[in-house]
């Protein structure tokens, strides 16, 4: 099946709400082996909606339309589709009874337009709405499947997973399923990653490789279509092994993980206590670290030491170091990391010092960053970076690099 998702609602076009339904449905359709080639957004206008459906019919045999099933005048989706498909609308009595029961139970008067929500296409498969009023529906006309779903995500998501998915599985023309795996990398750019893997990318067929760039991260989505799960996973394993043989040193995790999540997992697994000394990042590393449940077992304490005076008093950075090398230096970063490790009696200390901008500091340019780590074996290291971007981006990227260096060292 090739599908198109049409989202209905002027509020989407005005930017008042985001089209998260489209994202959700694409994520759900991929494992079913259904290709999503187009997303369309159209306002609450019957003529434009019908034109969008006519266009979709030329390139898809599954059209999913979200929104416009409510009781008001601008909720016109099913009327527009019924007219286009030349099919009548009838009341689905179980749905109508649920709507009536809702108003009785809530002691509210039911207006006549609420009955409209129970209208469905004649001969359609009704998709019950267990979290709202308007049912969804699915129908096949001239070889094209149409599925109508309500707009509110709290109604659409359970309706699709409970009823819509079953309908599609029953009508799939092929039973091959799409399996995906995301490999996450850091410390290598998208262009360099593609250069190293270009022969694999150019030779791809099944599985396929799709590079995706993030803010500092680069991901590869490996996708295979197969009707046997074991064979599909074997094909993914084989391709992954070829990739990691070349760029495994930059690999840090799978799917929806993050560098900080992987660092927290590593600290918890190894029972390593960490303490942080932050100047450049102003506590951002500690803030992100403490977003994760259970981190209190491994996070000792953090100090934001912005001034040189506090670097000396709290972290025991020597006056000679500050005078000779400055606060923005490898030497200061190492002493900050060692100082916080001793102060907090932690296994690991990490420090951040540098220039986030907008002006130079100590003659060092914006984006100059030093990260210090004091390790459980007593060894200390500093890593220097020259980052670009805004003040916020430099700080964010510094935190990511801190996670990356610690993961490699631990």
């Amino acid at each position: 099946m090739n599908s198109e998702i049409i989202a209905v609602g002027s509020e989407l076009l005005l930017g008042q709400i985001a089209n998260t339904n489209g994202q959700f449905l694409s994520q759900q359709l991929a494992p079913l082996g259904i290709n999503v080639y187009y997303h369309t957004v159209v306002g609450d206008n019957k003529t434009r909606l019908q034109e969008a459906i006519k266009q979709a019919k030329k390139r898809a045999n599954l059209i999913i339309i979200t929104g416009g099933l409510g009781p008001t005048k601008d909720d016109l989706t099913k009327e527009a589709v019924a007219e286009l498909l030349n099919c009548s609308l009838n009341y689905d009595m179980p749905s109508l009874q649920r709507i009536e029961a809702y108003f009785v139970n809530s002691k509210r008067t039911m207006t006549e337009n609420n009955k409209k929500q129970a209208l469905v296409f004649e001969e359609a498969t009704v998709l019950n709405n267990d979290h709202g009023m308007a049912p969804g529906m699915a129908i096949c006309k001239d070889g094209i499947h149409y599925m109508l779903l309500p707009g509110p995500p709290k109604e659409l998501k359970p309706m699709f997973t409970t009823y819509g998915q079953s309908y599609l599985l029953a009508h799939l023309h092929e039973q091959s399923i799409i399996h995906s795996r995301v490999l996450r990398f850091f410390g290598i750019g998208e262009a360099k990653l593609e250069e190293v893997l270009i022969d694999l990318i150019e030779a791809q067929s099944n599985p396929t490789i799709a590079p995706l760039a993030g803010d500092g991260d680069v991901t590869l989505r490996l996708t295979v279509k197969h009707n046997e799960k074991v064979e599909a996973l074997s094909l993914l394993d084989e391709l992954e092994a070829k990739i990691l043989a070349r760029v495994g040193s930059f690999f840090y995790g799978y799917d929806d993980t993050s560098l900080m999540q992987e660092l927290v997992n590593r600290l918890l697994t190894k029972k390593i206590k960490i303490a942080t000394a932050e100047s450049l990042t102003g506590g951002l590393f500690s803030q992100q670290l403490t977003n994760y449940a259970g981190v209190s077992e491994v996070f000792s304490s953090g100090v934001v030491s912005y001034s040189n005076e506090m670097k000396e008093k709290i972290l025991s950075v020597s006056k000679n170091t500050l005078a000779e090398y400055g606060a923005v230096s490898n030497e200061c970063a190492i002493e900050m990391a060692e100082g916080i490790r001793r102060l907090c009696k932690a296994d690991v200390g990490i420090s951040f010092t540098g220039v986030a901008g907008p002006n130079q500091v100590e003659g060092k340019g914006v984006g100059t960053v030093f990260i210090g780590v004091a390790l459980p074996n007593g060894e200390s290291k500093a890593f220097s970076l020259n980052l670009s971007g805004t003040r916020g981006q430099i700080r964010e990227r510094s935190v990511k690099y801190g996670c990356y260096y610690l993961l490699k060292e631990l």
Side-chain angles (χ1 to χ4, degrees):
M1 278 186 174
N2 296 328
S3 67
E4 179 160 346
I5 299 169
I6 301 176
V8 181
S10 297
E11 66 277 10
L12 296 168
L13 293 174
L14 294 170
Q16 294 171 343
I17 62 172
N19 183 21
T20 57
N21 288 336
Q23 178 188 32
F24 168 79
L25 289 169
S26 288
Q27 291 169 343
Q28 298 301 307
L29 293 173
L32 302 180
I34 298 174
N35 305 306
V36 180
Y37 289 144
Y38 295 93
H39 279 218
T40 298
V41 180
V42 63
D44 300 309
N45 179 282
K46 186 174 77 169
T47 301
R48 287 194 285 272
L49 174 55
Q50 290 179 336
E51 287 301 316
I53 296 170
K54 289 175 185 177
Q55 186 65 32
K57 286 169 63 177
K58 299 175 184 178
R59 55 198 185 191
N61 52 11
L62 168 63
I63 301 171
I64 299 179
I65 306 171
T66 69
L69 303 185
T72 62
K73 189 174 181 179
D74 61 355
D75 291 313
L76 43 75
T77 296
K78 55 190 157 190
E79 290 83 353
V81 178
E83 182 179 301
L84 196 63
L85 301 183
N86 194 28
C87 61
S88 59
L89 287 165
N90 299 325
Y91 286 111
D92 177 58
M93 295 314 296
S95 296
L96 182 58
Q97 289 166 3
R98 280 197 297 272
I99 294 170
E100 291 172 338
Y102 167 80
F103 281 96
V104 170
N105 293 335
S106 61
K107 295 181 172 58
R108 294 168 57 194
T109 302
M110 177 176 164
T111 57
E112 186 65 23
N113 60 352
N114 275 291
K115 292 176 63 177
K116 170 187 169 184
Q117 296 180 96
L119 288 171
V120 298
F121 303 145
E122 187 178 16
E123 300 181 356
T125 299
V126 176
L127 310 177
N128 291 335
N129 192 338
D130 298 330
H131 299 268
M133 295 190 189
M137 64 202 81
I139 193 169
C140 185
K141 285 281 189 177
D142 301 321
I144 298 176
H145 292 273
Y146 300 84
M147 181 176 290
L148 277 62
L149 300 170
K154 66 182 180 65
E155 300 177 26
L156 178 143
K157 291 180 179 181
M159 181 185 292
F160 181 82
T161 54
T162 305
Y163 305 109
Q165 200 172 58
S166 299
Y167 173 88
L168 293 176
L169 286 171
H171 292 85
L172 283 175
H173 300 307
E174 57 174 312
Q175 293 303 312
S176 58
I177 302 299
I178 292 177
H179 302 269
S180 291
R181 179 181 302 171
V182 175
L183 310 182
R184 307 191 75 89
F185 301 86
F186 190 81
I188 184 171
E190 182 186 19
K192 182 62 177 178
L193 185 69
E194 183 175 290
E195 179 187 329
V196 175
L197 303 174
I198 190 63
D199 59 314
L200 297 178
I201 294 172
E202 289 181 344
Q204 65 179 318
S205 56
N206 188 32
T208 60
I209 305 171
L212 304 168
D215 187 12
D217 296 48
V218 182
T219 63
L220 293 177
R221 187 181 67 239
L222 313 183
T223 304
V224 63
K225 182 180 282 190
H226 205 284
N227 55 6
E228 293 292 340
K229 184 177 181 180
V230 172
E231 181 62 23
L233 296 179
S234 176
L235 289 169
L236 289 177
D237 289 342
E238 183 180 336
L239 180 57
E240 179 186 332
K242 291 179 181 177
I243 292 169
L244 296 187
R246 303 184 190 187
V247 289
S249 60
F250 302 101
F251 171 75
Y252 73 85
Y254 295 97
D255 299 322
D256 293 327
T257 191
S258 66
L259 284 159
M260 187 62 81
Q261 176 70 77
E262 291 301 309
L263 176 59
V264 170
N265 293 344
R266 184 76 53 86
L267 295 171
L268 288 169
T269 300
K270 291 179 172 287
K271 295 181 171 55
I272 294 173
K273 282 198 174 289
I274 187 173
T276 63
E278 301 185 63
S279 179
L280 161 82
T281 47
L284 186 61
F285 183 92
S286 300
Q287 185 266 324
Q288 292 187 13
L289 184 71
T290 53
N291 280 337
Y292 294 92
V295 77
S296 58
E297 295 180 26
V298 292
F299 180 45
S300 174
S301 185
V303 168
V304 177
S305 53
Y306 230 60
S307 70
N308 286 359
E309 182 184 4
M310 291 300 103
K311 289 180 177 70
E312 286 183 53
K313 284 188 175 180
I314 300 174
L315 301 175
S316 302
V317 177
S318 74
K319 285 186 178 181
N320 291 339
T321 295
L322 293 171
E324 184 174 354
Y325 302 105
V328 183
S329 65
N330 277 319
E331 291 77 9
C332 181
I334 287 175
E335 291 189 26
M336 287 172 66
E338 291 175 340
I340 196 65
R341 182 181 172 220
R342 287 193 303 271
L343 179 67
C344 299
K345 297 181 174 58
D347 301 305
V348 170
I350 185 169
S351 68
F352 298 85
T353 183
V355 187
N359 303 313
Q360 290 187 352
V361 175
E362 300 176 347
K364 283 131 185 177
V366 174
T368 303
V369 175
F370 297 95
I371 299 172
V373 292
L375 299 166
N377 62 4
E379 185 181 4
S380 296
K381 296 182 178 182
F383 302 90
S384 60
L385 297 165
N386 187 11
L387 302 177
S388 60
T390 65
R391 181 178 175 86
Q393 288 171 331
I394 290 169
R395 285 155 52 95
E396 284 280 355
R397 290 168 185 167
S398 298
V399 168
K400 287 186 176 183
Y401 271 101
C403 293
Y404 176 67
Y405 291 139
L406 272 181
L407 280 170
K408 289 179 72 71
E409 295 299 327
L410 297 176

